[in-house]
């Protein structure tokens, strides 16, 4: 009789758990369904990757594809040596998350669609949003980091204040550029030729030259917001550090003003250019 | 009725099964360790190794004076009887044991060097990163992965004198630290996810205490000699000896 009571109790608990929605969502059947959908997505991603990415990034995602090094000459004669990214370590430069964090999926999807034209990684103009998601999932699957960590919150960027690129703001930004020692790497005039510019290696042990502002072309895309995000979040895996804890919001935009000036992208620059 | 009883049994098994299937990684669990064992030992070098002198090269005139032109690397600090200093000895994948130390880990940028060169940090505490120089430093800290690869954990600019930043210690393992503005600067920190980690002293000795009895994997790591892993069995209330000799 007692045995029966205990069993009845068990049964009651089991039924209760089964009928609670939480439990149902954790059921194996559901998980299998998710797994199957994920596998299908990966399969699709792999197909796209093998057709469009493998030549540079390699079949195993270790950056050892057929194209193992890319050389880009700048106008002033400087030659950049750029290596297709090794995805196995799970480190990304173009993030909207704090230094040391995984990027947001949107960051990766943006990079894939836009390409990194300065590094000769081609844009994917006709990629569908499903293909983008699939190829990004596939790229992520090369690194075990994604099993251990979740991406951090995104750093939000407001619209640039109206005074960005004004004379006054450029003047303030010039001082910040000096005080923050951007010039030590990027040079007094932003030509990427500061006293430290020849000493920098990336996390893969390869020499890496600081950005030359005079070219006006960021790897990430030349917008005010992208400059802001570059020095706020830092470019992980490179020598370019994060100033998130060092600069306040207002100073960040003044600094952006000055860099726009260096890049010849302010309104007055554009006017003189068209004259 | 029998059928129902059977159903209940099957269902209860099913419940146990699904919770297992969720594969949640087990976190370190703090328990009362009574009559724990300990590991003591000495890490030695097979023979004396010369400690290299490293060069400082910089294109900034003010740094030549402030940072100097060379320094003793302190990579091989070896006592007369061949004990090796600054070796990390750490138990790996420990599931439970005594409480984690509550202690922040200070990384100081001092006279164009990191201080300390090698140290132990415990997950969940903070890195306290300090610039004591009137120079630009950045602290670029990453986990050392297999095959000589590195994964960035923090790359922080410290342009101001006496600037201090606090950052959570969230990753485990051997981390290397560099400053991109001063390529000769280097340091290592072992971040442990259990309290069972030690650093050898001037004579190469270490001690790890209050360990629950059991068999563990141990990591023995040194900047110059590299790393070895081995198994060790700790018995309740007993001191187990772990000696190791590195050769180059």
């Amino acid at each position: 009789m007692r045995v029966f009571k205990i069993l009845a109790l068990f049964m009651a608990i089991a039924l209760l758990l089964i009928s609670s929605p939480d439990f149902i969502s954790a059921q194996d059947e559901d998980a299998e369904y998710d797994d199957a959908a994920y596998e299908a997505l990966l399969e699709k991603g792999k197909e796209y990757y093998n057709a469009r990415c493998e030549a540079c990034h390699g079949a195993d995602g270790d950056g050892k594809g057929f194209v193992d090094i890319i050389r880009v000459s700048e106008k002033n004669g400087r030659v950049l040596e750029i290596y297709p990214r090794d995805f196995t370590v799970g480190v990304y430069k173009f993030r909207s998350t704090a230094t040391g964090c995984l990027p947001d999926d949107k960051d990766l999807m943006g990079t894939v669609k836009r390409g990194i034209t300065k590094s000769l990684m081609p844009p994917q103009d006709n990629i569908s949003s499903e293909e983008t998601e699939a190829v990004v999932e596939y790229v992520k699957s090369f690194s075990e980091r994604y099993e251990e960590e979740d991406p951090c919150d995104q750093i939000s960027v407001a619209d640039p204040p109206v005074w960005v690129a004004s004379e006054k703001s450029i003047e303030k930004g010039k001082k910040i550029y000096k005080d923050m020692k951007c010039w030590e790497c990027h040079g007094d005039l932003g030509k990427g030729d500061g006293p430290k510019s020849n000493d920098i290696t990336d996390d893969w042990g390869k020499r890496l030259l600081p950005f030359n502002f005079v070219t006006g072309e960021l790897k990430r895309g030349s917008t005010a917001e992208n400059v802001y995000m570059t020095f706020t979040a830092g470019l992980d895996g490179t020598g370019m550090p994060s100033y998130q804890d060092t600069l306040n919001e207002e100073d960040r935009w003044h600094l952006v003003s000055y860099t726009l000036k260096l890049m010849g992208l302010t309104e007055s620059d554009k006017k003189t250019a068209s004259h | 009725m029998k059928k129902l009883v059977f159903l209940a049994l099957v269902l209860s098994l099913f419940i146990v099964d699904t919770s297992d299937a969720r594969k949640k990684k087990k976190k370190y669990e703090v328990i009362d360790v009574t009559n724990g064992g300990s590991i003591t030992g000495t890490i030695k070098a097979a023979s004396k190794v010369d400690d290299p002198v490293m060069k400082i090269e910089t294109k900034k005139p003010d740094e030549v004076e402030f940072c100097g032109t060379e320094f003793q690397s302190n990579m091989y600090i070896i006592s007369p009887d061949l004990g090796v200093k600054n070796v990390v000895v750490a138990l790996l994948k420990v599931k439970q044991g005594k409480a984690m130390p509550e202690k922040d880990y200070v990384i100081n940028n001092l006279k164009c060097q990191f201080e300390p060169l090698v140290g132990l940090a415990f997950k969940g505490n903070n890195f306290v990163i300090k610039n004591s120089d009137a120079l630009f430093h950045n602290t670029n800290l990453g986990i050392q992965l297999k095959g000589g690869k590195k994964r960035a954990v923090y790359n922080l600019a410290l342009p101001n004198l006496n600037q201090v930043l606090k950052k959570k210690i969230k990753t485990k393992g051997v981390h290397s630290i560099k400053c991109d503005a001063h390529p000769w600067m280097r340091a290592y920190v072992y971040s442990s996810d259990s309290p069972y980690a030690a650093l050898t002293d001037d004579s190469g000795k270490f001690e790890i205490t209050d360990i629950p009895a059991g068999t563990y994997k141990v990591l023995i790591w040194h900047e110059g000699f590299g790393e070895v892993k081995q198994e060790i069995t700790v018995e309740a209330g007993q001191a187990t000896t772990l000696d190791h000799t590195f050769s180059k």
Side-chain angles (χ1 to χ4, degrees), chain B residues 45-222:
Chain B
S47 57
K48 191 92 188 152
V49 179
D50 285 335
D51 183 50
V53 171
M54 291 183 172
K55 290 250 176 300
I56 291 180
E57 279 169 42
T58 169
K59 291 201 181 64
K60 276 185 76 212
D62 59 324
E63 289 184 354
V64 179
E65 203 173 314
F66 184 77
C67 306
T69 54
E70 58 177 40
F71 64 98
Q72 199 63 47
S73 69
N74 285 336
M75 192 186 290
Y76 298 102
I77 305 179
I78 301 177
S79 69
D81 60 350
L82 300 179
V84 184
K85 190 185 169 153
N86 280 344
V87 178
V88 172
V89 183
L91 302 192
L92 302 174
K93 297 191 180 144
V94 184
K95 302 251 163 42
Q96 47 177 226
K98 66 179 172 186
M100 289 289 276
E102 280 180 31
K103 208 170 150 225
D104 286 348
Y105 186 83
V106 179
I107 301 168
N108 193 4
N109 290 262
L110 180 67
K111 291 277 289 177
C112 313
Q113 300 290 348
F114 288 115
E115 166 60 42
L117 176 60
V118 184
L120 294 178
F122 295 92
K123 248 180 103 172
N125 293 290
N126 294 300
F127 288 121
V128 176
I129 305 160
K130 201 171 150 187
N131 183 2
S132 304
D133 293 342
L135 293 176
F136 171 86
H137 285 301
N138 67 305
T139 296
N140 191 345
L141 185 145
I143 313 177
Q144 294 199 327
L145 302 174
K146 278 177 259 162
K149 295 184 183 184
K150 188 175 172 179
R151 179 186 297 156
V153 173
Y154 293 115
N155 184 1
L156 303 163
L158 290 116
N160 307 323
L161 172 64
N162 292 330
Q163 189 173 358
V164 179
L165 300 178
K166 233 181 186 190
K167 292 281 163 187
K168 264 258 156 328
I169 303 171
K170 53 180 188 177
T171 44
K172 63 174 181 187
V174 177
H175 294 64
S176 61
I177 312 175
K178 69 170 183 172
C179 169
D180 294 282
H182 305 103
W184 63 86
M185 286 176 69
R186 73 190 209 290
Y188 301 88
V189 53
Y190 181 80
S191 167
S192 179
D193 59 352
S194 90
Y196 302 112
L199 199 63
T200 55
D201 63 14
D202 290 336
S203 48
K205 290 197 165 49
F206 73 92
E207 182 178 32
I208 303 174
T209 58
D210 302 320
I211 312 167
T215 299
Y216 298 93
K217 214 172 187 185
V218 206
L219 167 77
I220 305 173
W221 177 93
H222 180 264

Side-chain angles (χ1 to χ4, degrees), chain A residues 4 86 89 99-100 196 242, chain B residues 1 63 149 151 153 155 163:
Chain A
F4 174 70
D86 167 4
V89 293
T99 172
K196 308 294 182 189
S242 158
Chain B
M1 195 62 231
E63 289 184 354
K149 295 184 183 184
R151 179 186 297 156
V153 173
N155 184 1
Q163 189 173 358

Side-chain angles (χ1 to χ4, degrees), chain A:
Chain A
M1 195 61 206
R2 225 166 109 205
V3 173
F4 174 70
K5 262 190 193 158
I6 292 169
L7 282 173
L9 192 72
F10 239 106
M11 203 162 76
I13 292 169
L15 285 171
L16 208 76
L17 279 170
I18 283 259
S19 57
S20 87
D22 267 350
F23 183 74
I24 286 173
S25 68
Q27 269 182 31
D28 263 2
E29 211 177 292
D30 234 31
E32 259 166 40
Y33 171 76
D34 277 344
D35 279 355
Y38 178 70
E39 289 305 327
L41 193 68
L42 276 191
E43 203 42 53
K44 207 176 165 105
K46 181 173 193 245
E47 219 171 275
Y48 195 91
Y49 180 92
N50 289 346
R52 310 283 180 95
C53 323
E54 186 192 325
C56 292
H57 292 287
D60 302 325
D62 55 5
K64 297 205 173 80
F66 177 67
V67 182
D68 53 351
I69 180 167
I70 291 169
R71 290 196 176 79
V72 178
S73 314
E74 292 184 338
K75 272 190 210 127
N76 59 358
R78 217 171 67 140
V79 179
L80 305 179
E81 295 194 325
I82 306 171
Y83 300 83
R85 184 63 43 77
D86 167 4
F87 297 131
T88 63
V89 293
V91 170
Y92 293 95
K93 295 182 183 178
F94 311 118
R95 295 164 292 101
S96 59
T97 55
T99 172
C101 289
L102 284 168
D104 194 90
D105 281 356
K106 287 190 218 80
D107 296 332
L108 293 175
M109 292 198 236
T111 301
V112 171
K113 262 193 211 150
R114 207 172 45 235
I116 310 173
T117 47
K118 191 165 180 189
S119 305
L120 304 187
M121 169 166 143
Q124 305 294 316
D125 294 324
N126 299 318
I127 195 169
S128 71
S129 55
E130 202 196 344
E131 283 169 326
T132 317
E133 194 189 330
V135 77
V136 162
E137 269 324 308
Y138 188 63
V139 163
K140 283 159 64 176
S141 73
F142 288 122
S143 175
E144 59 195 24
R145 187 175 179 196
Y146 275 93
E147 287 159 29
E148 297 157 10
E149 282 177 52
D150 293 318
C152 312
D153 291 340
Q154 283 184 283
I155 299 167
S156 61
V157 191
D159 286 337
V162 286
W163 44 259
V164 164
S166 67
E167 274 314 308
K168 247 197 186 154
S169 174
I170 290 170
E171 215 35 60
K172 284 192 176 144
K174 187 174 179 177
K175 183 169 184 313
I176 297 165
Y177 183 86
K178 184 161 181 272
D179 292 345
M180 290 299 112
K181 313 290 163 73
C182 309
W183 62 273
E184 288 199 15
C185 295
H186 292 285
D188 279 334
L189 301 171
K191 290 185 189 156
D193 58 354
K196 308 294 182 189
S197 58
N198 287 319
D199 291 343
I200 297 170
T201 51
D202 65 16
D203 279 5
W204 292 269
K206 305 286 195 217
R207 207 173 138 219
L208 180 68
L209 292 168
F211 179 56
N212 175 355
F213 285 92
V214 180
T215 64
E217 191 193 353
L218 268 74
K219 285 182 176 174
R220 188 188 201 128
S222 310
T223 63
E225 288 87 345
N226 281 347
V227 174
Y228 178 106
M229 197 53 95
T230 298
F231 64 74
T232 302
L235 302 178
D236 285 350
T238 80
M240 173 70 215
S242 158
Y243 286 81
Q244 192 177 9
D245 302 301
T246 306
L247 285 171
N248 65 35
E249 176 77 7
E250 192 185 325
D251 283 351
R252 290 183 203 175
W253 287 116
H254 289 313
L255 183 55
V256 168
S257 297
Y258 182 61
T259 61
L260 291 176
K261 180 75 194 165
L262 289 173
M263 293 193 282
L265 295 177
T266 64
E267 281 308 311
S268 61
D269 290 322
K270 283 178 198 155
K271 267 182 220 144
T272 21
S274 63
H275 270 287

